Amino acid sequence: MQVKGTLLRIFEKENIKEKFSKKTVVVRTKEEYPQEIPIEFTNQRIDLIGSYKEGDDVTISINLRGREWKGKDKWFCSIEGWKVESLLK
C-alpha cells in the first residue's frame, strides 16, 4: 500500500529499547477530505526519511501492523513505512 501527500510533521527519533528505535512522520493526503496519517519508521528504516523535510510531497510505501496487547482483548494498529519517494519526480 502507499500513502501520497505532504509531510506535515517529522518528529525526532525515539529510542524505545536498546535495539529498537522509531521516528514518526505525519502525512497530509491530497484528497477531497484530506487525512493526517502518522507513519512510523523503525530501526534501519529511519534513515529513509532523513533527506526529507516538512512540506515535501512524498509517496510512502507502508505495511499495516496489528497486535493484541498482553492478551487483554485490546488491539493496536500501526502503520510502518518501508520506502519513501519524492512526488516531484
Side-chain angles (χ1 to χ4, degrees):
M1 289 188 231
Q2 294 183 326
V3 175
K4 294 182 181 184
T6 303
L7 286 170
L8 181 63
R9 291 285 310 270
I10 300 175
F11 291 93
E12 294 295 318
K13 177 180 166 182
E14 297 177 65
N15 295 311
I16 309 298
K17 294 183 180 179
E18 182 180 334
K19 294 185 179 184
F20 181 76
S21 54
K22 71 176 182 175
K23 187 170 196 170
T24 302
V25 302
V26 178
V27 176
R28 179 181 287 146
T29 62
K30 296 176 182 268
E31 309 172 307
E32 182 178 357
Y33 301 104
Q35 299 296 306
E36 295 177 356
I37 301 172
I39 300 172
E40 297 176 348
F41 290 84
T42 58
N43 296 332
Q44 71 274 12
R45 292 187 176 143
I46 290 172
D47 293 338
L48 296 174
I49 201 71
S51 63
Y52 295 92
K53 62 186 183 316
E54 292 176 0
D56 286 348
D57 291 329
V58 296
T59 298
I60 301 178
S61 297
I62 61 167
N63 290 328
L64 296 176
R65 301 281 185 218
R67 64 198 168 282
E68 187 177 15
W69 183 65
K70 299 182 180 181
K72 302 287 185 184
D73 209 23
K74 185 172 184 175
W75 297 87
F76 291 90
C77 181
S78 61
I79 303 171
E80 187 176 283
W82 57 269
K83 183 178 179 183
V84 184
E85 297 175 297
S86 174
L87 281 177
L88 298 177
K89 290 184 176 180

